[in-house]
Amino acid sequence: MPRFPDHLTGDGPTNPFPGIRVLERRLGREIPHRLGSNEGLDMPHRALREHFGDAMVEHAYCYGDSEALGVRQRIADQQGIPLEALLVDAGADSLIALALRTVAEPGTVVVATGGTYPTFGYFARGQGCRLVEVPYEEAPGRLAPDLEALSAAARREQARLVYLANPDNPGGHLHDDAAVRRLRETLPDDCWLLLDEAYHDFRDDAESPFAREVLPGVIRLRTLSKAHGMAGLRIGYAIAEPETLAMMMKVRIHYAVSTLTQAAAEVVLDHPDETRAHIAAVLERRERLAEHFRELGAEVLPSATNFIGIRLPSAELAERINRELLEAGRLIARPAHPNLGHVLRITAVEDALVPGRLEILERALKQG
């Protein structure tokens, strides 16, 4: 099991403001009179009530439950993940930063694939870590994080943490469960695996036994932004051993997830049929979109996400198409990393399937 930084062990930091919900659970009774915190302010919120209604205003008054118990209970019940192995925070991005803050001290080495989800590198550099990148494994029909190269770099550089997005962003590739296990087994004992599973819900095997495992030395991250449609409210969760989550709680922003966000998440989680229907619709659109561009001669990469990746012959062509689409008011994604400048990413929304919406790309493909 990888070790934690010295400043977190022993007495370490302690959250000075656990919040009323946590205090109520500790006491075993309600605290009806809030006389010692900002939550007791008597702001009338007339404008807010008129605009959003009384129910919204009740959420505006109070800090969120710092332990997000209601959200965690629903995830635990629906996915079979132990409640004590779940931590809720403000989306996968916030969880990436939190994981780094917990296990990677400034000056330590972290390893990732050059061109993978760039927010990881952004936060790693902000944490003062030295980021070591390895190239993608590229072949016809394949653009995948190279697990052997990640493991080799971790051993060579004595890395503190390895980052893997699985399914990958922006390529869409999915490594199977056995490959992820092998990666963890080949990493140094004191190296963490940060497994970003933001697109997990779009896997065909999203409900497999492996999906609910709590893996030693691994911090798994998931989100309610994609399949659950809550990107604007910022909420996601980590799956890890309770000892690991306890350390993460020491350095977490305790009220990062608002009362409104938690209430909305509970409503969405209470209606899983709606989420399942949305996922099915996304997968159907993804295949229609992929088939459309294959018929035009494009190299469409295999995807286990809510998007498709198209690999073009050159970064120059991809840059021109992306620029012209943006000028025409059509925003797709082109990775900023030079390793992936020849890839375009298109999300499988209904708007992408409207005839003529991506005519600029279609015309370029027809011209060869």
Side-chain angles (χ1 to χ4, degrees), residues 135-189:
Y136 272 90
E137 178 189 347
E138 289 209 56
R142 184 176 178 85
L143 179 67
D146 188 331
L147 303 191
E148 291 186 5
L150 288 170
S151 178
R155 296 192 302 271
R156 182 179 67 250
E157 302 287 345
Q158 297 181 310
R160 194 77 179 91
L161 177 145
V162 167
Y163 172 83
L164 174 67
N166 193 53
D168 180 58
N169 177 12
H173 180 84
L174 176 66
H175 285 288
D176 63 30
D177 302 339
V180 174
R181 288 189 194 277
R182 285 195 300 272
L183 172 61
R184 173 58 267 185
E185 290 167 359
T186 62
L187 294 178
D189 290 342

Coordinates of all heavy atoms in Angstrom, one line a residue, residues 135-189:
P135 N 4.3 8.6 -24.5 CA 3.4 8.7 -25.7 C 2.3 7.7 -25.7 O 2.3 6.7 -25.0 CB 4.4 8.4 -26.9 CG 5.7 8.5 -26.3 CD 5.6 8.1 -24.9
Y136 N 1.2 8.0 -26.4 CA 0.2 7.1 -26.7 C 0.7 5.9 -27.6 O 1.7 6.1 -28.3 CB -1.0 7.7 -27.5 CG -2.0 8.4 -26.6 CD1 -1.9 9.7 -26.3 CD2 -3.2 7.6 -26.2 CE1 -2.9 10.3 -25.5 CE2 -4.2 8.2 -25.5 CZ -4.0 9.6 -25.1 OH -5.0 10.1 -24.3
E137 N 0.1 4.8 -27.4 CA 0.3 3.7 -28.3 C -0.6 3.9 -29.6 O -1.8 3.8 -29.4 CB 0.0 2.4 -27.6 CG 0.2 1.1 -28.5 CD -0.4 -0.1 -27.8 OE1 -0.7 -0.1 -26.6 OE2 -0.5 -1.1 -28.5
E138 N 0.0 4.0 -30.7 CA -0.8 4.3 -31.9 C -0.6 3.2 -33.0 O 0.6 2.7 -33.2 CB -0.4 5.7 -32.6 CG -0.9 6.9 -31.8 CD -1.1 8.1 -32.7 OE1 -1.9 8.0 -33.6 OE2 -0.5 9.1 -32.4
A139 N -1.7 2.8 -33.6 CA -1.6 1.8 -34.6 C -2.9 2.0 -35.4 O -3.8 2.7 -34.9 CB -1.6 0.4 -34.1
P140 N -3.1 1.4 -36.6 CA -4.4 1.5 -37.3 C -5.5 1.1 -36.4 O -5.5 0.0 -35.8 CB -4.2 0.5 -38.5 CG -2.7 0.6 -38.7 CD -2.1 0.6 -37.4
G141 N -6.5 1.9 -36.2 CA -7.7 1.6 -35.4 C -7.4 1.6 -33.9 O -8.3 1.2 -33.2
R142 N -6.3 2.2 -33.5 CA -5.9 2.1 -32.1 C -5.2 3.4 -31.7 O -4.2 3.8 -32.3 CB -5.1 0.9 -31.8 CG -4.7 0.7 -30.3 CD -3.9 -0.5 -30.1 NE -3.5 -0.7 -28.7 CZ -4.3 -1.3 -27.8 NH1 -5.5 -1.8 -28.1 NH2 -3.8 -1.5 -26.5
L143 N -5.7 4.0 -30.6 CA -5.1 5.1 -30.0 C -5.3 4.9 -28.5 O -6.4 5.2 -28.0 CB -5.6 6.5 -30.4 CG -5.0 7.7 -29.8 CD1 -3.6 7.9 -30.2 CD2 -5.9 9.0 -30.1
A144 N -4.3 4.4 -27.8 CA -4.5 3.9 -26.4 C -3.4 4.3 -25.5 O -2.2 4.3 -25.9 CB -4.6 2.4 -26.4
P145 N -3.7 4.6 -24.3 CA -2.6 4.8 -23.3 C -1.8 3.5 -23.2 O -2.3 2.4 -23.2 CB -3.4 5.1 -22.0 CG -4.7 5.6 -22.4 CD -5.0 4.9 -23.7
D146 N -0.5 3.7 -23.2 CA 0.5 2.6 -23.2 C 0.8 2.2 -21.8 O 1.6 2.8 -21.1 CB 1.8 3.0 -23.9 CG 2.7 1.8 -24.2 OD1 2.7 0.9 -23.4 OD2 3.5 1.9 -25.1
L147 N 0.1 1.1 -21.3 CA 0.2 0.8 -19.9 C 1.6 0.3 -19.5 O 2.1 0.6 -18.4 CB -0.8 -0.3 -19.5 CG -2.3 0.0 -19.8 CD1 -3.2 -1.0 -19.2 CD2 -2.6 1.4 -19.3
E148 N 2.3 -0.4 -20.4 CA 3.7 -0.8 -20.1 C 4.6 0.4 -20.0 O 5.5 0.5 -19.1 CB 4.1 -1.7 -21.2 CG 3.5 -3.1 -21.2 CD 4.1 -4.1 -22.2 OE1 5.1 -3.7 -22.8 OE2 3.5 -5.2 -22.3
A149 N 4.4 1.4 -20.9 CA 5.2 2.6 -20.8 C 4.9 3.4 -19.6 O 5.9 4.0 -18.9 CB 5.0 3.5 -22.1
L150 N 3.7 3.5 -19.1 CA 3.3 4.1 -17.9 C 4.0 3.5 -16.7 O 4.6 4.1 -15.8 CB 1.8 4.2 -17.7 CG 1.0 5.1 -18.6 CD1 -0.5 4.8 -18.4 CD2 1.3 6.5 -18.3
S151 N 4.0 2.1 -16.7 CA 4.6 1.4 -15.6 C 6.1 1.5 -15.6 O 6.7 1.8 -14.5 CB 4.2 -0.1 -15.7 OG 4.8 -0.8 -14.7
A152 N 6.7 1.5 -16.7 CA 8.2 1.6 -16.8 C 8.6 3.0 -16.4 O 9.6 3.1 -15.7 CB 8.6 1.3 -18.3
A153 N 7.9 4.0 -16.8 CA 8.2 5.4 -16.4 C 8.1 5.5 -14.9 O 8.9 6.2 -14.2 CB 7.3 6.4 -17.1
A154 N 7.0 4.9 -14.3 CA 6.8 5.0 -12.8 C 8.0 4.4 -12.1 O 8.5 5.0 -11.1 CB 5.5 4.4 -12.5
R155 N 8.5 3.3 -12.6 CA 9.6 2.6 -11.9 C 10.9 3.4 -12.1 O 11.7 3.5 -11.2 CB 9.7 1.2 -12.4 CG 8.5 0.3 -12.1 CD 8.8 -1.2 -12.3 NE 9.2 -1.4 -13.7 CZ 8.4 -1.7 -14.7 NH1 7.1 -1.8 -14.5 NH2 8.8 -2.0 -15.9
R156 N 11.1 3.8 -13.3 CA 12.3 4.5 -13.6 C 12.4 5.9 -12.9 O 13.5 6.2 -12.4 CB 12.4 4.8 -15.2 CG 13.7 5.5 -15.6 CD 13.6 5.8 -17.1 NE 12.6 6.7 -17.5 CZ 11.5 6.4 -18.2 NH1 11.3 5.1 -18.6 NH2 10.6 7.3 -18.6
E157 N 11.3 6.6 -12.8 CA 11.3 7.9 -12.2 C 11.0 7.9 -10.7 O 10.9 9.0 -10.1 CB 10.3 8.8 -12.9 CG 10.6 8.9 -14.4 CD 11.8 9.8 -14.7 OE1 12.2 10.5 -13.8 OE2 12.2 9.8 -15.9
Q158 N 10.8 6.7 -10.1 CA 10.3 6.6 -8.7 C 9.1 7.5 -8.5 O 9.0 8.3 -7.6 CB 11.5 7.0 -7.8 CG 12.7 6.0 -7.9 CD 13.8 6.4 -6.9 OE1 14.2 7.6 -6.8 NE2 14.2 5.4 -6.1
A159 N 8.1 7.3 -9.3 CA 6.9 8.2 -9.3 C 6.1 7.9 -8.1 O 6.0 6.9 -7.5 CB 6.1 7.9 -10.6
R160 N 5.4 9.0 -7.7 CA 4.4 8.9 -6.6 C 3.1 8.5 -7.0 O 2.3 8.0 -6.2 CB 4.4 10.3 -5.9 CG 3.7 10.4 -4.6 CD 4.7 9.8 -3.5 NE 4.1 9.9 -2.2 CZ 3.4 8.9 -1.7 NH1 3.2 7.8 -2.3 NH2 2.9 9.0 -0.4
L161 N 2.7 8.8 -8.3 CA 1.4 8.6 -8.8 C 1.4 8.4 -10.3 O 2.2 9.1 -11.0 CB 0.5 9.7 -8.4 CG -1.0 9.7 -8.8 CD1 -1.9 10.3 -7.7 CD2 -1.2 10.5 -10.1
V162 N 0.6 7.5 -10.8 CA 0.3 7.3 -12.2 C -1.2 7.6 -12.5 O -2.0 7.2 -11.8 CB 0.7 5.9 -12.7 CG1 0.1 5.7 -14.1 CG2 2.2 5.7 -12.7
Y163 N -1.4 8.4 -13.5 CA -2.8 8.8 -13.9 C -3.2 8.0 -15.2 O -2.5 8.0 -16.1 CB -2.9 10.3 -14.2 CG -4.2 10.7 -14.8 CD1 -5.3 11.0 -13.9 CD2 -4.3 10.9 -16.1 CE1 -6.5 11.4 -14.5 CE2 -5.6 11.3 -16.7 CZ -6.6 11.6 -15.8 OH -7.8 12.0 -16.3
L164 N -4.4 7.4 -15.1 CA -4.9 6.7 -16.3 C -6.4 7.1 -16.4 O -7.2 6.8 -15.4 CB -4.7 5.2 -16.1 CG -5.4 4.4 -17.2 CD1 -4.8 4.6 -18.6 CD2 -5.4 2.9 -16.8
A165 N -6.8 7.6 -17.5 CA -8.2 7.8 -17.8 C -8.7 6.5 -18.5 O -8.2 6.2 -19.6 CB -8.4 9.0 -18.6
N166 N -9.7 5.9 -18.0 CA -10.2 4.6 -18.6 C -11.7 4.5 -18.4 O -12.2 4.3 -17.3 CB -9.5 3.4 -17.9 CG -9.8 2.1 -18.7 OD1 -9.5 2.1 -19.9 ND2 -10.2 1.1 -18.0
P167 N -12.5 4.8 -19.5 CA -12.1 5.0 -20.8 C -11.3 6.3 -21.0 O -11.5 7.2 -20.2 CB -13.5 5.1 -21.6 CG -14.5 4.4 -20.7 CD -14.0 4.6 -19.3
D168 N -10.5 6.3 -22.0 CA -9.6 7.4 -22.2 C -10.3 8.7 -22.8 O -11.3 8.6 -23.5 CB -8.5 7.0 -23.2 CG -7.5 8.2 -23.4 OD1 -6.9 8.6 -22.4 OD2 -7.3 8.6 -24.6
N169 N -9.9 9.8 -22.3 CA -10.3 11.1 -22.9 C -9.0 11.8 -23.3 O -8.1 12.0 -22.5 CB -11.0 11.9 -21.8 CG -11.4 13.3 -22.3 OD1 -11.4 13.6 -23.4 ND2 -11.8 14.1 -21.3
P170 N -8.9 12.1 -24.6 CA -9.9 12.2 -25.7 C -10.0 11.1 -26.7 O -10.7 11.2 -27.7 CB -9.4 13.5 -26.4 CG -7.9 13.4 -26.4 CD -7.6 12.8 -25.1
G171 N -9.3 10.0 -26.5 CA -9.2 8.9 -27.5 C -10.5 8.0 -27.5 O -10.9 7.5 -28.5
G172 N -11.0 7.8 -26.3 CA -12.1 6.9 -26.2 C -11.8 5.4 -25.9 O -12.7 4.6 -25.7
H173 N -10.5 5.1 -25.9 CA -10.1 3.7 -25.7 C -10.4 3.2 -24.3 O -10.3 3.9 -23.3 CB -8.6 3.5 -26.0 CG -8.1 2.1 -25.8 ND1 -8.2 1.2 -26.9 CD2 -7.6 1.5 -24.8 CE1 -7.7 0.1 -26.5 NE2 -7.3 0.2 -25.2
L174 N -10.8 1.9 -24.3 CA -11.1 1.2 -23.0 C -10.1 0.1 -22.8 O -10.1 -0.9 -23.6 CB -12.5 0.7 -23.0 CG -12.9 -0.1 -21.7 CD1 -12.9 0.8 -20.5 CD2 -14.3 -0.7 -21.9
H175 N -9.4 0.1 -21.7 CA -8.6 -1.0 -21.3 C -9.4 -1.9 -20.5 O -10.2 -1.5 -19.6 CB -7.3 -0.6 -20.5 CG -6.2 0.0 -21.3 ND1 -5.5 -0.8 -22.1 CD2 -5.8 1.3 -21.4 CE1 -4.6 0.0 -22.7 NE2 -4.8 1.3 -22.3
D176 N -9.3 -3.3 -20.7 CA -10.1 -4.2 -19.9 C -9.7 -4.2 -18.4 O -8.6 -3.8 -18.1 CB -10.2 -5.5 -20.6 CG -8.9 -6.3 -20.6 OD1 -8.0 -6.0 -19.8 OD2 -8.7 -7.1 -21.6
D177 N -10.5 -4.9 -17.6 CA -10.2 -4.9 -16.2 C -8.9 -5.6 -15.9 O -8.1 -5.2 -15.0 CB -11.4 -5.6 -15.5 CG -12.7 -4.9 -15.7 OD1 -12.7 -3.8 -16.1 OD2 -13.7 -5.6 -15.5
A178 N -8.6 -6.7 -16.6 CA -7.4 -7.4 -16.3 C -6.1 -6.5 -16.6 O -5.1 -6.6 -15.9 CB -7.3 -8.7 -17.2
A179 N -6.2 -5.7 -17.6 CA -5.1 -4.8 -17.9 C -4.9 -3.8 -16.8 O -3.7 -3.5 -16.5 CB -5.3 -4.1 -19.3
V180 N -6.0 -3.3 -16.3 CA -5.9 -2.3 -15.2 C -5.3 -3.0 -13.9 O -4.4 -2.4 -13.3 CB -7.2 -1.7 -14.9 CG1 -7.2 -0.8 -13.6 CG2 -7.7 -0.9 -16.1
R181 N -5.7 -4.2 -13.7 CA -5.1 -4.9 -12.5 C -3.6 -5.1 -12.7 O -2.8 -4.9 -11.8 CB -5.8 -6.3 -12.4 CG -7.2 -6.2 -11.9 CD -7.6 -7.7 -11.6 NE -9.1 -7.8 -11.4 CZ -9.7 -7.5 -10.3 NH1 -9.0 -7.1 -9.2 NH2 -11.0 -7.7 -10.2
R182 N -3.2 -5.5 -13.9 CA -1.8 -5.7 -14.2 C -1.0 -4.4 -14.0 O 0.1 -4.5 -13.5 CB -1.6 -6.3 -15.6 CG -2.0 -7.8 -15.8 CD -1.4 -8.3 -17.0 NE -1.9 -7.6 -18.2 CZ -3.0 -8.0 -18.9 NH1 -3.8 -9.0 -18.4 NH2 -3.4 -7.3 -19.9
L183 N -1.6 -3.3 -14.5 CA -0.9 -2.1 -14.3 C -0.6 -1.8 -12.8 O 0.5 -1.4 -12.4 CB -1.7 -0.9 -14.9 CG -1.2 0.5 -14.7 CD1 0.2 0.7 -15.3 CD2 -2.1 1.5 -15.2
R184 N -1.6 -1.9 -12.0 CA -1.4 -1.7 -10.6 C -0.4 -2.6 -10.0 O 0.4 -2.2 -9.2 CB -2.8 -1.9 -9.9 CG -2.8 -1.8 -8.3 CD -2.2 -0.5 -7.8 NE -0.8 -0.6 -7.5 CZ -0.1 0.3 -6.9 NH1 -0.6 1.4 -6.5 NH2 1.2 0.1 -6.7
E185 N -0.4 -3.9 -10.4 CA 0.5 -4.9 -9.9 C 2.0 -4.6 -10.3 O 2.9 -4.9 -9.5 CB 0.2 -6.3 -10.3 CG -1.1 -6.8 -9.7 CD -1.7 -8.0 -10.4 OE1 -1.0 -8.5 -11.4 OE2 -2.7 -8.5 -10.0
T186 N 2.2 -3.9 -11.4 CA 3.6 -3.7 -11.9 C 4.1 -2.3 -11.4 O 5.3 -2.0 -11.6 CB 3.6 -3.7 -13.4 OG1 2.8 -2.7 -14.0 CG2 3.2 -5.1 -13.9
L187 N 3.3 -1.5 -10.8 CA 3.7 -0.2 -10.3 C 4.5 -0.4 -9.0 O 4.3 -1.4 -8.3 CB 2.6 0.7 -10.0 CG 1.7 1.2 -11.2 CD1 0.6 2.1 -10.7 CD2 2.6 2.0 -12.2
P188 N 5.4 0.5 -8.7 CA 6.1 0.4 -7.4 C 5.1 0.4 -6.2 O 4.1 0.9 -6.3 CB 7.0 1.7 -7.3 CG 7.2 2.1 -8.8 CD 5.9 1.6 -9.5
D189 N 5.5 -0.3 -5.1 CA 4.6 -0.4 -4.0 C 4.2 0.9 -3.4 O 3.1 1.1 -2.9 CB 5.3 -1.2 -2.9 CG 5.5 -2.7 -3.2 OD1 4.8 -3.1 -4.1 OD2 6.3 -3.3 -2.6

